[in-house]
């Protein structure tokens, strides 16, 4: 058991260091993508891409599902 605990502690430390590094790093690429143009019955939806994360603005559940597929394809 002590070996497993040491392994878990090391993994937690690596995860924390990675998270802190990401917070300090500034993204180099940032761009907007229009997901919905605000047609009848549909809101205007925007997606902000950065090096580290993506942010949704004013989108519904269906848009979130569609964008998750786009992001998966982009990362492959």
């Amino acid at each position: 058991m002590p070996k497993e605990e040491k392994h878990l502690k090391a993994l937690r430390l690596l995860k924390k260091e990675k998270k802190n590094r990401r917070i300090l790093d500034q993204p180099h690429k940032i761009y907007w993508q229009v997901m919905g143009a605000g047609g009848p019955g549909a809101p205007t939806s925007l997606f902000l891409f950065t090096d580290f994360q993506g942010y949704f603005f004013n989108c519904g559940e269906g848009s979130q599902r569609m964008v998750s597929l786009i992001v998966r394809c982009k990362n492959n």
Side-chain angles (χ1 to χ4, degrees):
M1 288 284 191
K3 288 183 181 180
E4 289 180 8
E5 289 176 11
K6 287 181 183 179
H7 180 67
L8 291 175
K9 190 173 183 178
L11 286 176
R12 286 188 193 114
L13 182 62
L14 285 174
K15 185 176 180 181
K16 187 176 181 180
E17 288 174 358
K18 185 178 179 182
K19 182 179 178 183
N20 289 339
R21 220 175 340 166
R22 185 188 300 178
I23 290 171
L24 297 175
D25 290 342
Q26 293 181 356
H28 296 91
K29 274 199 269 182
I30 300 174
Y31 64 95
W32 290 94
Q33 182 169 357
V34 177
M35 299 304 296
T44 303
S45 303
L46 297 172
F47 190 73
L48 175 65
F49 285 100
T50 68
D51 292 340
F52 307 117
Q53 288 186 329
Y55 300 93
F56 301 105
F57 293 92
N58 196 34
C59 68
E61 185 178 337
S63 299
Q64 291 176 359
R65 288 181 185 165
M66 182 180 70
V67 171
S68 69
L69 292 174
I70 291 170
V71 170
R72 281 188 214 147
C73 292
K74 180 184 172 204
N75 291 334
N76 289 333

